[in-house]
């Protein structure tokens, strides 16, 4: 195993506190390896992986690998996962494209920290199956439909947040493909056209700009960086950021949430905005419980925590943000490096014959 310490952020969070948060995540883990939202809650494949990544970053390798084994075992023959499990029973049989792609990010992150090729070889078929399933849901104009029903029909709506995360998953999947020497040219083209859609064709996605995730996720997923990222963040900073508390989940509600704040921290860190990232990371610590877990959010107009849940994925996002800020583990750049080219060169981002042929507006 590669040498890696436990993340800490000076004057904000110590190593022992990060370990305590990781243990609070592991305490909710089911015997199957599933990491539900909280003990007794439901499990979804995306948040499950995010929590597993945090366990790896904090040094709880056995628990993390148990979680990835759960992902491997619960994958369906077509490469998908059901949207929702509870106590080992499927509650929603439909498939979310973003949920099915995210294993690639978790496996690459685990490899960066552990250097374990046997782990990659064991999980590679699941990564491949998941991304093949997702790429099959891509429209000709680049966006990827958000869900496929149990009947095999796609829901012809694309979500910007989910597509931005899929862009990151494809990036990590291509890095894994290179590692195992199993080229995936379809993924390269899918990533290229998806990135173009995110940058140049906002009309391809459902309008949900009241949600903060649609604001920062194109940056977090690597599709938007540089001046465009700075302009994007500055344009809505005052809509979402609540001084000293973190960020709103929804722009018109007095509700700050910890996971979204930590994801913004990761996006800001990826842009090189360390001071603003650190300020937001510090601000969200009011959601920390004495047992090391994190409350999902706070309705600051009346000082009440809502929902009344301490969610594993909130603690997970916090640990990943702490690692990015502190540059502690070899996986600290998993989001920062999402914009690095893999496969097809990006080149000038101009619409041309492809957009004409696919019917996407130029």
């Amino acid at each position: 195993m590669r040498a890696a310490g436990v993340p800490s952020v000076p004057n904000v969070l110590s190593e022992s506190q990060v370990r305590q948060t990781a243990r609070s995540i592991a305490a909710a883990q089911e015997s199957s390896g599933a990491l539900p939202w909280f003990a007794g809650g439901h499990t979804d494949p995306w948040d499950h992986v995010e929590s597993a990544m945090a366990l790896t970053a904090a040094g709880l390798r056995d628990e993390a690998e148990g979680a990835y084994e759960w992902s491997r075992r619960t994958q369906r023959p077509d490469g998908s996962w059901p949207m929702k499990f509870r106590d080992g029973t499927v509650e929603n049989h439909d498939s979310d494209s973003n949920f099915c792609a995210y294993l690639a990010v978790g496996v690459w992150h685990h490899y960066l920290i552990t250097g374990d090729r046997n782990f990659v070889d064991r999980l590679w078929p699941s990564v491949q199956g998941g991304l093949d399933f997702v790429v099959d849901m891509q429209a000709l104009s680049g966006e990827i439909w958000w869900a496929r029903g149990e009947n095999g029909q796609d829901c012809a709506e694309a979500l910007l947040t989910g597509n931005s995360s899929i862009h990151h998953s494809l990036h990590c999947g291509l890095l894994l493909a290179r590692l195992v020497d199993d080229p995936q040219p379809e993924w390269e083209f899918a990533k290229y056209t998806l990135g173009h859609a995110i940058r140049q064709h906002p009309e391809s996605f459902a309008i949900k700009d009241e949600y903060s995730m649609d604001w920062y996720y194109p940056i977090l997923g690597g599709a938007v960086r540089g001046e465009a990222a700075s302009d994007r963040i500055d344009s809505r900073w005052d809509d979402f950021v609540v001084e000293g508390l973190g960020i709103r989940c929804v722009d018109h509600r007095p509700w700050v949430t910890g996971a979204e704040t930590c994801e913004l921290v990761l996006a800001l860190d990826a842009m090189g905005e360390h001071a603003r990232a650190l300020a937001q990371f510090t601000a969200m610590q009011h959601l920390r419980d004495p047992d090391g877990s994190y409350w999902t959010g706070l309705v600051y107009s009346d000082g009440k925590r809502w929902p009344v849940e301490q969610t594993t994925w909130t603690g997970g996002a916090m640990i990943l943000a702490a690692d990015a800020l502190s540059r502690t583990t070899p996986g600290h750049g998993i989001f920062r490096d999402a914009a690095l080219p893999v496969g097809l060169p990006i080149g000038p981002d101009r619409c041309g014959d492809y957009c004409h042929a696919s019917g996407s507006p130029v």
Side-chain angles (χ1 to χ4, degrees), residues 19-44 47-48 51-52 54-55 60 63-64 66-67 70 85-88 291-294 309-316:
R19 287 193 192 94
Q20 185 187 30
T21 298
R23 288 194 295 269
S24 78
I25 295 170
Q29 189 168 32
E30 297 171 1
S31 59
S32 65
L35 289 164
W37 283 25
F38 46 84
H42 76 271
T43 301
D44 76 68
D47 288 300
H48 166 86
S51 294
L55 293 177
L60 299 186
E63 292 85 347
W70 178 89
F85 299 78
R86 191 182 301 271
D87 295 327
D291 70 0
S293 63
Y294 280 75
E309 300 169 350
Q310 293 145 285
T311 38
T312 52
W313 41 265
T314 300

Side-chain angles (χ1 to χ4, degrees), residues 132-212:
D132 283 346
F133 177 84
V134 170
V135 168
D136 187 58
M137 297 173 67
Q138 188 168 34
L140 288 176
S141 44
E143 70 273 20
I144 293 174
W145 305 133
W146 85 272
R148 178 170 288 176
E150 190 178 0
N151 60 4
Q153 296 297 308
D154 290 337
C155 176
E157 182 179 61
L159 305 180
L160 181 57
T161 292
N163 273 248
S164 298
S165 180
I166 291 170
H167 184 272
H168 188 201
S169 296
L170 286 166
H171 175 85
C172 293
L174 287 165
L175 291 169
L176 287 165
R178 180 178 294 175
L179 178 67
V180 302
D181 194 21
D182 188 1
Q184 302 293 324
E186 296 88 355
W187 300 357
E188 292 179 5
F189 188 70
K191 178 175 180 280
Y192 177 80
T193 54
L194 175 58
H196 176 82
I198 292 169
R199 287 184 294 274
Q200 299 295 333
H201 293 287
E203 73 281 356
S204 295
F205 302 96
I207 299 174
K208 295 184 179 291
D209 56 8
E210 71 270 27
Y211 293 97
S212 60

Side-chain angles (χ1 to χ4, degrees), residues 209-264:
D209 56 8
E210 71 270 27
Y211 293 97
S212 60
M213 295 175 80
D214 268 21
W215 169 50
Y216 62 76
Y217 244 94
I219 301 162
L220 184 64
V224 176
R225 293 290 168 86
E227 185 177 351
S230 296
D231 290 346
R232 187 178 188 91
I233 289 298
D234 290 343
S235 69
R236 302 212 60 193
W237 184 268
D238 292 338
D239 295 335
F240 291 113
V241 175
V242 181
E243 188 68 28
L245 293 178
I247 70 169
R248 296 180 181 93
C249 178
V250 185
D251 61 7
H252 60 279
R253 295 181 180 172
W255 179 42
V256 292
T257 49
E260 281 82 357
T261 302
C262 287
E263 288 177 338
L264 175 63

Side-chain angles (χ1 to χ4, degrees), residues 330-361:
H332 66 75
I334 186 75
F335 296 96
R336 192 181 315 112
D337 297 340
L340 296 178
V342 176
L344 290 173
I346 297 300
D349 211 6
R350 294 190 296 265
C351 294
D353 292 340
Y354 176 77
C355 281
H356 283 293
S358 67
S360 180

Side-chain angles (χ1 to χ4, degrees), residues 2 106-117 119-120 179:
R2 294 171 178 165
V107 172
W108 180 245
H109 178 259
H110 195 76
Y111 172 72
L112 288 174
I113 294 176
T114 67
D116 187 345
R117 267 300 307 272
F119 170 82
V120 173
L179 178 67

